[in-house]
Amino acid sequence: MRLLVQLVLNLVAVALLCLACAVGWIVVETERGLRAETEASAARVARDLERLYWRELLWRGGLQKTPLLPSPEWRTPAMLAVLAPGLCVSFARGPEARQVLCSQVEGVGRPAPDWFRALHRAAFGPPPAVARPLTVQQRDAGTVVATADPEAAIRQAWERVRVLAGVAAAMAAGISLLSALLIGRAVAPARLIVQGLARLEQGAGGRLPAFRAAEFRAIARAVDDLGVRLARTAAARNALTTRLFHVQEEERRALARDLHDEFGQCLTATGALAAAIEAGAADRPDLAGDARAITEATARMMQTLKGALARLRSQDVDDLGLHAALARLVAAWNARGTRARVTLAVDGDLAALPRTAALDLYRIAQECLTNAARHGRPRHVRVRVACPAGAVGLVVEDDGGGDPARLREGAGHGLLGIRERVDALGGRLQIGPAPGGVRVAVRIPVAPPLARAA
């Protein structure tokens, strides 16, 4: 998961947690406010009833302390006006039946959904009742009981939760969006650092810009220093690899010369001696047959030696040039009598290539043809060489049904040698699928002739 997405998800989770806490706090405060409103309504009703009580007491005989019932018409619109919406008050004197006065529930708010109603009832239960005596001096005059309607309590809690939670959700969404933008801007240098590391992996250079954050500046400096060290290491490795290939070519030439001078002469002498024995053994058919067998074995060894010398020697590239050397290589492969037919296509002038690049391209083409025959059963192998501006490209395609992924992941010495040669020349190697087989593409940068001359 990307860092920006992870940070935004964490921020959203925190915002949702805060929103849930805010909703819980709103519900609890709503319950407290409802209880306070119930107590205040009970006090207001008791106060008005007490006024009625003393007025009735004065009207009916002075300041006698006999229990008197206030006016039976206390449930008036004036009394209803002192009640908060969704509350009910009741009053009774002694064992008499209680008279109840309730305000409207519809004015509290919208009906709450079933899930909120169930959660509210499970968390808080029914609203508690508040009882107050009619008068302090004469407590047996009656008691006022105020109770919040359960539906009104739920509606009031839902209305506040709906409004305040909507505002809180909008604020949380806005804060999350702005925070995501700021976080995205703050972690944007990470993408540039990753791109710089990818360029280092591909061998490209380039320094990272100076970032505002001290942490990213430190990382950028470390990446730049790593790039400098990698460039030095790569240059030293390429120089060493180039030197090793030069030494390898010299050893191949020396080995080819020794094989030609020593082993070739021995084989030639052996063949001549066997021919002389065969010619002088006219009366010895068994000895003549052995001599012919020696001659045939010598001829096969001579053919094998010629093939080895052709692979070891690079005089064709030095003497004839890369174009003619590749043509000879293709002709030699076609002359083997295998089912694969090799074709060569050259676009551009190969004579202007440096000797090192020409020799390495020849060896790479040689190894690609060997891999095509070794890892598949091709019927057609195409070798193409092109010389665009400032580079030379070699492409070898076959229809042998090989697996490019397996070839890329392989640790064979042939493919390893191709990679080392391409890296030493600062080129690029690509192994991919071809119609029916594998495609190996090599691109090597080449300096212009004037620059080489300078």
Side-chain angles (χ1 to χ4, degrees):
M1 184 181 296
R2 296 180 57 185
L3 177 60
L4 178 60
V5 177
Q6 186 176 0
L7 291 176
V8 171
L9 291 180
N10 292 338
L11 183 62
V12 171
V14 172
L16 292 178
L17 178 60
C18 295
L19 181 61
C21 294
V23 169
W25 178 78
I26 291 170
V27 173
V28 172
E29 287 298 319
T30 302
E31 286 297 314
R32 292 178 180 176
L34 182 62
R35 182 174 181 84
E37 189 65 28
T38 304
E39 292 178 355
S41 296
R44 289 192 296 268
V45 171
R47 184 181 67 249
D48 291 349
L49 284 175
E50 186 178 359
R51 291 174 182 173
L52 292 176
Y53 172 82
W54 286 108
R55 186 181 65 182
E56 189 72 14
L57 182 64
L58 292 174
W59 286 354
R60 295 192 180 185
L63 298 177
Q64 298 179 2
K65 295 184 178 180
T66 57
L68 295 177
L69 182 67
S71 174
E73 299 300 328
W74 67 274
R75 293 180 295 179
T76 61
M79 188 66 70
L80 187 63
V82 302
L83 288 180
L87 293 181
C88 294
V89 292
S90 62
F91 174 75
R93 176 189 152 190
E96 296 179 359
R98 283 191 167 273
Q99 298 179 3
V100 181
L101 178 64
C102 294
S103 63
Q104 293 183 356
V105 180
E106 287 74 9
V108 176
R110 301 179 183 178
D114 295 336
W115 61 270
F116 184 81
R117 184 180 289 105
L119 290 177
H120 189 275
R121 289 176 178 174
F124 300 101
V130 177
R132 291 180 64 89
L134 181 61
T135 62
V136 178
Q137 292 82 2
Q138 198 169 1
R139 293 182 178 273
D140 56 351
T143 305
V144 176
V145 179
T147 308
D149 187 85
E151 181 64 21
I154 295 176
R155 286 193 178 194
Q156 187 174 0
W158 171 248
E159 187 67 19
R160 293 188 179 181
V161 167
R162 186 179 65 84
V163 175
L164 297 180
V167 175
M171 293 179 61
I175 293 174
S176 300
L177 180 59
L178 294 177
S179 301
L181 294 177
L182 294 177
I183 291 174
R185 186 176 180 180
V187 301
R191 182 168 58 253
L192 298 178
I193 293 174
V194 172
Q195 293 175 358
L197 292 174
R199 289 196 301 271
L200 288 181
E201 182 182 5
Q202 297 173 0
R207 298 182 63 85
L208 294 174
F211 302 114
R212 293 184 178 179
E215 293 79 2
F216 285 119
R217 282 201 305 271
I219 296 175
R221 285 195 298 269
V223 172
D224 292 338
D225 295 341
L226 177 62
V228 173
R229 290 194 295 270
L230 287 178
R232 294 174 181 173
T233 304
R237 184 195 62 188
N238 292 338
L240 179 60
T241 303
T242 303
R243 178 58 183 165
L244 289 177
F245 281 131
H246 290 169
V247 173
Q248 185 183 45
E249 291 297 332
E250 295 297 333
E251 291 295 329
R252 285 184 173 183
R253 291 192 185 95
L255 181 60
R257 184 171 56 251
D258 293 341
L259 287 176
H260 180 271
D261 296 342
E262 300 294 336
F263 195 61
Q265 292 180 7
C266 292
L267 288 178
T268 302
T270 302
L273 182 59
I277 293 174
E278 182 182 1
D283 54 345
R284 295 283 304 276
D286 54 344
L287 186 59
D290 293 339
R292 285 193 298 272
I294 293 174
T295 302
E296 293 174 357
T298 303
R300 289 195 299 270
M301 293 178 67
M302 187 64 72
Q303 290 298 120
T304 303
L305 178 61
K306 288 181 179 180
L309 292 177
R311 291 191 298 272
L312 291 174
R313 297 177 63 181
S314 59
Q315 277 81 0
D316 290 344
V317 180
D318 295 336
D319 300 337
L320 304 178
L322 180 59
H323 193 166
L326 290 176
R328 279 197 175 188
L329 178 63
V330 170
W333 273 90
N334 290 327
R336 292 185 179 183
T338 59
R339 55 180 291 181
R341 178 174 176 270
V342 184
T343 60
L344 174 65
V346 178
D347 182 12
D349 185 14
L350 303 182
L353 293 178
R355 175 183 176 278
T356 304
L359 182 58
D360 287 329
L361 282 176
Y362 178 81
R363 293 299 186 191
I364 291 173
Q366 195 177 38
E367 187 61 39
C368 288
L369 292 177
T370 302
N371 286 335
R374 181 183 301 167
H375 300 290
R377 297 178 60 84
R379 299 181 62 87
H380 190 194
V381 181
R382 293 172 292 275
V383 181
R384 298 197 304 271
V385 183
C387 294
V392 57
L394 171 67
V395 179
V396 180
E397 295 181 344
D398 66 80
D399 56 358
D403 187 5
R406 185 177 180 182
L407 186 61
R408 283 193 299 266
E409 297 173 358
H413 294 286
L415 188 59
L416 180 60
I418 293 176
R419 286 198 178 99
E420 290 177 349
R421 289 181 182 274
V422 174
D423 292 340
L425 295 174
R428 185 172 68 251
L429 172 65
Q430 291 181 344
I431 301 176
V438 179
R439 179 179 184 270
V440 179
V442 174
R443 183 181 176 88
I444 298 174
V446 178
L450 293 178
R452 291 200 303 270

